[in-house]
Structure formats: C-alpha cells, structure tokens
Amino acid sequence: MTDNLLPQDSGELSIWADTEVPDLETPALEGSHQVDVLVVGGGFTGLSCALHLAEQGTSVMLFEAKNFGFGGSGRNAGLVNAGVWQTPEYVEQQLGKAAGERFNLALRDSPELVFGL
C-alpha cells in the first residue's frame, strides 16, 4: 500500500484510496430528475447496489455527499466480513429452514461478490 490519503482527511491512510480508479467527473445536480431507485452513499454497498440495478435495466441515481468511499468503505482497513454474529443454525431457526439456508448461502458468498467488483 502506498501512502495515499483521502483528500478530506489529512493524515488518514486509506486502502480504498490506494486501489480506487481515478475520481470521476460528476456534475452538480440540476433540474428535476425521475429514476426508479435513488441510492444514497457511494461506498461498497451503494456502488454495488447501483451497478447491479443498472445492469438489470433499472434507472438509478446515486448521491454521495463527499468522495466515493468517504465513509466506512474508505476506513475499514480492507476488511470484508460476512457474518451476523449468530450461528447458521440459529439463523435457520429464526427465519425458517428454506429462508435461513438462502440467507446463509448469500452471506457465505458475499465476500467473493465484493472482491469480484
């Protein structure tokens, strides 16, 4: 990792900033817009959500108040945790067998989704 800093945080190192693509030129919002989904926050979750919805043909607009990755995504030391602090058995007990199994499989596979992006 190089000593890359997020522009708004003097002295703070960021894995996000070290691995991101160059900043996009994003125009200020003007006028009236209508979309199917508005995503608030340009971190891992918001960007992934907007990308996957757009790939399915949904019209999406994403708002980020600072820079992409400004919040938790830019400050988490690169950790990708797939967990809910409960055992898979407990999750199945709470959600029911079928829904619990789907949830546990999605949780298991979610880090690969992040790394694939």
Side-chain angles (χ1 to χ4, degrees), residues 76-94:
N76 73 358
L79 299 175
V80 177
N81 296 325
V84 292
W85 300 101
Q86 299 294 338
T87 66
E89 294 79 19
Y90 180 83
V91 170
E92 290 178 11
Q93 184 180 61
Q94 295 300 305

Side-chain angles (χ1 to χ4, degrees), residues 23-99:
D23 283 340
L24 301 172
E25 292 293 325
T26 55
L29 185 63
E30 294 182 9
S32 177
H33 300 270
Q34 185 169 348
V35 294
D36 297 323
V37 176
L38 172 65
V39 177
V40 178
F44 286 122
T45 303
L47 291 170
S48 176
C49 178
L51 172 67
H52 287 93
L53 287 168
E55 288 176 341
Q56 294 174 18
T58 303
S59 63
V60 180
M61 184 175 286
L62 185 140
F63 284 176
E64 171 55 53
K66 302 284 186 176
N67 298 327
F68 295 116
F70 175 83
S73 294
R75 293 168 174 73
N76 73 358
L79 299 175
V80 177
N81 296 325
V84 292
W85 300 101
Q86 299 294 338
T87 66
E89 294 79 19
Y90 180 83
V91 170
E92 290 178 11
Q93 184 180 61
Q94 295 300 305
L95 300 179
K97 183 83 170 145

